[in-house]
Amino acid sequence: MATQRSIILASSSPRRQYLMKEAGFTFTIEKPDVEEDFPATLPAEQVARYLAAKKAEYFRLKMHDEIIVTADTVVILNNTIMNKPQDRAEAIKMLSDLSGQTHKVMTGVCILSKEREETFDDTTEVTFVKLTPAEIEFYVDTYKPYDKAGAYGAQDWIGMVAIDKITGSYFNVMGLPIHKVYQHLKNW
């Protein structure tokens, strides 16, 4: 989809880049240099939007006529945020906690121009089957999911064999509710 203004996708995520491209957008990539931290008192359901807006804020003073699109995805289990795992042990722990459970995946998106800002999110519920320790270790050692919230990618092996049910957008679980992004950008 062609827009009259250039779009900057502020993300190094190959999955977000793929989804934007497949939805027909032409864009450039520029990663914001911000810490992905948030106040400890912030409710879990507000974290994804907060981080997306924080990433967009990085561009505010250096913008010209472009449209900035930022996003952040969090995995929430029992009202606790599961960030990107720091190492193998943390990835195994996260997947062990998710095994046999239903959790939420929330992606916050911020679209910013000099004149306008829109922030929104999408929530998907994901149910995992019970995984064996050997399956979890195989996934972590083979796919090294250290760049993924909750230590998994729905498009990877684990998504094929462990996701029993998804209620909501699959693409949101991949990291971008592209259906909502498309509708919002259509109005810009």
Side-chain angles (χ1 to χ4, degrees):
M1 183 172 115
T3 58
Q4 295 179 354
R5 298 164 81 173
S6 62
I7 296 174
I8 295 175
L9 176 61
S11 175
S12 57
S13 164
R15 293 157 303 280
R16 288 189 186 120
Q17 294 168 23
Y18 169 80
L19 292 171
M20 286 286 287
K21 182 176 179 241
E22 291 301 306
F25 292 107
T26 302
F27 56 91
T28 57
I29 297 161
E30 187 175 337
K31 189 173 186 298
D33 185 20
V34 296
E35 291 293 322
E36 293 185 21
D37 57 352
F38 52 89
T41 57
L42 192 65
E45 287 78 19
Q46 295 177 20
V47 170
R49 274 182 142 186
Y50 173 87
L51 291 173
K54 183 177 179 181
K55 291 174 182 179
E57 193 61 34
Y58 172 81
F59 294 94
R60 189 176 298 278
L61 295 177
K62 56 186 191 170
M63 292 179 65
H64 297 289
D65 192 41
E66 57 278 282
I67 297 170
I68 309 295
V69 178
T70 62
D72 194 84
T73 301
V74 297
V75 170
I76 303 170
L77 178 65
N78 301 324
N79 210 34
T80 301
I81 299 274
M82 293 185 151
N83 291 312
K84 297 171 185 170
Q86 297 299 309
D87 55 29
R88 181 179 187 272
E90 190 174 15
I92 289 170
K93 167 90 169 83
M94 285 181 184
L95 291 170
S96 298
D97 290 345
L98 293 172
S99 176
Q101 301 292 318
T102 298
H103 62 277
K104 291 181 190 175
V105 177
M106 291 189 76
T107 301
V109 178
C110 185
I111 302 175
L112 177 70
S113 70
K114 280 204 175 266
E115 310 81 32
R116 191 168 156 192
E117 179 176 352
E118 291 182 24
T119 306
F120 55 93
D121 59 42
D122 198 28
T123 302
T124 304
E125 287 191 352
V126 180
T127 303
F128 270 28
V129 299
K130 190 77 175 148
L131 295 163
T132 66
E135 289 169 325
I136 291 170
E137 289 180 20
F138 166 79
Y139 176 70
V140 170
D141 293 341
T142 304
Y143 290 88
K144 308 202 181 317
Y146 307 117
D147 65 334
K148 296 173 177 69
Y152 79 93
Q155 69 282 357
D156 294 340
W157 175 85
I158 203 161
M160 294 177 221
V161 303
I163 294 178
D164 184 47
K165 182 169 110 177
I166 292 179
T167 305
S169 169
Y170 170 77
F171 300 111
N172 183 55
V173 182
M174 280 181 66
L176 193 66
I178 192 64
H179 60 293
K180 287 188 173 184
V181 172
Y182 183 88
Q183 293 303 321
H184 279 265
L185 284 175
K186 251 181 29 176
N187 298 323
W188 284 57

